[in-house]
Amino acid sequence: MLDIGFHQGASLHSHTPQDELRMVAVASPQDEAYSLETLWHVCLHLQRLGYPVVVLDGTARESEASPGLQDLLAHEPWSVGAGLGGRVDTSTLAVVPAALGLQALARNPRQLAQPLQLLQPLFRRYAMVVLHAPVTTLASPLMAGTVTAPLLIMMPGKAGVVSSYRQLKHLALHAGLGGMVACVASSSESGQRQLADDSLRSLRECASQHLGQQIRTSSIQAGSPQDLQRLALQLLENACTISAPGAASALPSHFTAGIPAHIVQSH
């Protein structure tokens, strides 16, 4: 036999269809408390819908004490043999420090049409990757070749409108990307919901007039399971897919055989 690979059947892996990895992006605001709580709840709803999620946290830097995406991309020896097994635990949320790793992908030394393709072999056991990172990171070449609209999570009121408009403008000017916005009302009081609706209307008008964009918006109540599930479904609908960077990604190796358990934090 003239098969080239680790064993006779290894070359057949390059001809088998590879599952595409879904990806969504969530911008991190300066005031992250409300944003993070909403993000965790939405991710848990996605997992309940049958989509195991891994969050790449672009606000957390990898370190020796807290390894993450940078180490996975570098194929460090410590990753050998430390995997999660054949199934992903959907009872917890996997969060991977990723600030430096995402910066490395944005530099794209391999000049891939989609730099994020390198994530597919690393996280193919998950159904969805959530990139949680500052707008400056999402507006870099990192998102080249993708069509997803990053989610912005805002609070009702003038300050929330101004902050979200600045983020939308940054995405539009530097990456040619649109955005979708969820406004989180802190309570079910009619005044709070009305303020959220008014804030979103102002934001839509600004985006239409100054950016030429028709943005998708959603008003949700903090802690409402129905609203959070609706937002999760909207994210799922907005997700793009990441395919493997090439046939070589189908071959088994020490760094794609499993995701190192000690870089994953549970939430």
Side-chain angles (χ1 to χ4, degrees), residues 3 23 36 145 200 257:
D3 296 284
M23 189 277 295
L36 285 175
L200 289 175

Side-chain angles (χ1 to χ4, degrees), residues 28-233:
S28 60
Q30 292 181 346
D31 180 10
E32 293 192 10
Y34 66 89
S35 173
L36 285 175
E37 183 178 356
T38 301
L39 174 62
W40 303 147
H41 283 301
V42 168
C43 288
L44 290 174
H45 275 281
L46 286 169
Q47 297 204 142
R48 294 190 189 105
L49 292 170
Y51 295 88
V53 173
V54 57
V55 178
L56 299 186
D57 188 359
T59 68
R61 292 172 65 91
E62 300 90 324
S63 66
E64 184 175 351
S66 201
L69 179 61
Q70 182 185 46
D71 305 276
L72 284 174
L73 292 171
H75 312 155
E76 292 294 342
W78 55 259
S79 67
V80 180
L84 294 176
R87 299 180 61 185
V88 175
D89 181 8
T90 58
S91 64
T92 59
L93 181 60
V95 182
V96 178
L100 299 177
L102 292 178
Q103 290 176 18
L105 287 177
R107 290 193 291 270
N108 193 12
R110 302 191 192 183
Q111 297 301 310
L112 296 173
Q114 292 185 1
L116 293 175
Q117 284 182 314
L118 294 178
L119 298 179
Q120 196 274 348
L122 301 176
F123 300 106
R124 59 188 177 188
R125 287 181 177 172
Y126 290 90
M128 179 172 289
V129 169
V130 175
L131 298 185
H132 177 246
V135 163
T136 51
T137 299
L138 299 180
S140 71
L142 176 71
M143 302 289 287
T146 66
V147 293
T148 189
L151 171 67
L152 313 181
I153 301 175
M154 64 175 276
M155 290 294 286
K158 182 178 179 179
V161 173
V162 171
S163 176
S164 295
Y165 175 74
R166 287 175 176 170
Q167 290 182 308
L168 288 171
K169 183 176 180 180
H170 196 95
L171 288 170
L173 292 180
H174 296 278
L177 293 175
M180 57 184 295
V181 182
C183 188
V184 184
S186 58
S187 71
S188 59
E189 297 178 2
S190 58
Q192 276 289 312
R193 295 304 293 257
Q194 186 61 50
L195 180 58
D197 291 340
D198 291 344
S199 299
L200 289 175
R201 182 170 59 254
S202 297
L203 184 62
R204 288 194 299 268
E205 291 174 355
C206 288
S208 176
Q209 181 177 354
H210 301 293
L211 302 178
Q213 293 183 346
Q214 303 299 320
I215 61 172
R216 185 175 183 178
T217 62
S218 179
S219 176
I220 64 175
Q221 177 190 333
S224 168
Q226 295 83 4
D227 287 355
L228 291 166
Q229 181 166 324
R230 175 165 49 87
L231 182 57
L233 291 172

Side-chain angles (χ1 to χ4, degrees), residues 17-22 120 124 126-128 240-244:
Q18 294 295 302
D19 291 337
E20 292 181 322
L21 185 65
R22 298 191 185 210
Q120 196 274 348
R124 59 188 177 188
Y126 290 90
M128 179 172 289
C240 66
T241 55
I242 304 173
S243 57

